[in-house]
Amino acid sequence: MVSGEYISMKTLHDTLPYFTPAPYATGSYAADPNVHFFLCEFVDMSDDLPDVNTLASSLAELHKTGISPNGKYGFPVPTLQGTIPQYTEWTDSWEDFFTKSFKLVMSNEQKSQGLDPEMQELCQATIEKVIPRLLRPLETGGRKIQPRLVHGDIWDGNVSTNTETNIPVIFDATSIYAHNEIELAPLRPARHRMGKPYVKAYFKHFPVSEPEEDQDDRNALYCL
């Protein structure tokens, strides 16, 4: 977990240095190899949400600059959402990558919560119908998208403002190279303080992927 976060933060910092604390090191305690650490720059942060437009423009700049080094979706090391592994194997197609990622999430859910026939049926319908309907058009009919570096968990608990520079700062990353719009998925749930204004501002700096009319449905899918 710690090494994945370190590589995530280092990749983000190398791509857009002003947007993250500088990561310094990761490793394990000599006295106890089961205890691990991640050391980064100290940044004095405010308790307020970042300015909507400034955060949105910085996220867009990150996504425009952070292009996959091999043109594929994935990440060079395993990363986790909390304690749950993400799918990070290099994959050519976004539809294929997201399908495998979704299957992994549902498999972990089943291991944790037990077998649920209704959930199995819904998951199969999502794999067979929803994902192809919403993601295949991104890469067919003359349309294309590029794998972009994403933080992976943008919500009000992982963003703040540097009190010295007044610039937004992001941390606690779990990165992959993905369709950039997946970055906006955590902003959808009503329980988060960041929401639609940030999504709307983001699209002023990074255009909605075509088909544009599918954007909100894609966002809902990416929340799963």
Side-chain angles (χ1 to χ4, degrees):
M1 176 189 294
V2 175
S3 61
E5 180 173 354
Y6 171 76
I7 296 298
S8 293
M9 291 298 295
K10 186 177 187 307
T11 306
L12 292 169
H13 189 74
D14 289 347
T15 303
L16 201 62
Y18 72 80
F19 204 23
T20 71
Y24 293 142
T26 185
S28 303
Y29 281 30
D32 186 349
N34 293 316
V35 177
H36 313 289
F37 66 87
F38 165 46
L39 183 65
C40 72
E41 172 191 14
F42 173 79
V43 176
D44 192 15
M45 303 179 192
S46 74
D47 294 327
D48 301 323
L49 292 179
D51 175 75
V52 173
N53 191 63
T54 308
L55 178 65
S57 64
S58 296
L59 268 182
E61 185 179 356
L62 171 68
H63 296 158
K64 290 174 183 177
T65 308
I67 305 297
S68 172
N70 57 14
K72 297 184 178 185
Y73 299 92
F75 205 63
V77 299
T79 55
L80 295 88
Q81 285 280 357
T83 59
I84 302 173
Q86 294 194 114
Y87 184 79
T88 55
E89 296 296 322
W90 293 116
T91 309
D92 292 321
S93 157
W94 173 239
E95 179 187 345
D96 188 24
F97 179 88
F98 187 84
T99 300
K100 290 174 178 175
S101 176
F102 179 77
K103 287 180 178 179
L104 178 61
V105 170
M106 293 301 109
S107 174
N108 288 329
E109 182 72 9
Q110 182 174 308
K111 290 175 184 177
S112 172
Q113 303 299 324
L115 184 65
D116 184 319
E118 183 179 5
M119 180 63 74
Q120 278 193 313
E121 184 178 343
L122 290 170
C123 289
Q124 196 60 33
T126 301
I127 292 168
E128 294 177 358
K129 298 179 180 180
V130 180
I131 293 176
R133 165 61 187 85
L134 292 176
L135 301 191
R136 190 167 300 170
L138 290 167
E139 301 175 292
T140 56
R143 294 176 289 266
K144 60 185 295 186
I145 55 174
Q146 285 184 293
R148 310 276 182 168
L149 177 65
V150 299
H151 171 281
D153 195 17
I154 290 291
W155 67 289
D156 41 277
N158 290 340
V159 302
S160 188
T161 301
N162 186 321
T163 57
E164 291 186 5
T165 64
N166 207 34
I167 293 175
V169 59
I170 59 176
F171 46 92
D172 198 15
T174 175
S175 291
I176 52 173
Y177 289 95
H179 180 209
N180 60 290
E181 289 181 12
I182 202 171
E183 191 85 278
L184 308 176
L187 305 182
R188 189 182 189 93
R191 69 180 183 276
H192 291 162
R193 292 188 295 153
M194 295 168 61
K196 289 183 179 180
Y198 287 87
V199 175
K200 184 177 180 180
Y202 174 83
F203 286 128
K204 292 179 180 179
H205 302 279
F206 200 120
V208 176
S209 299
E210 295 291 344
E212 186 173 347
E213 61 270 21
D214 289 344
Q215 184 274 318
D216 190 61
D217 289 333
R218 289 194 299 263
N219 182 258
L221 173 63
Y222 292 160
C223 286
L224 297 180

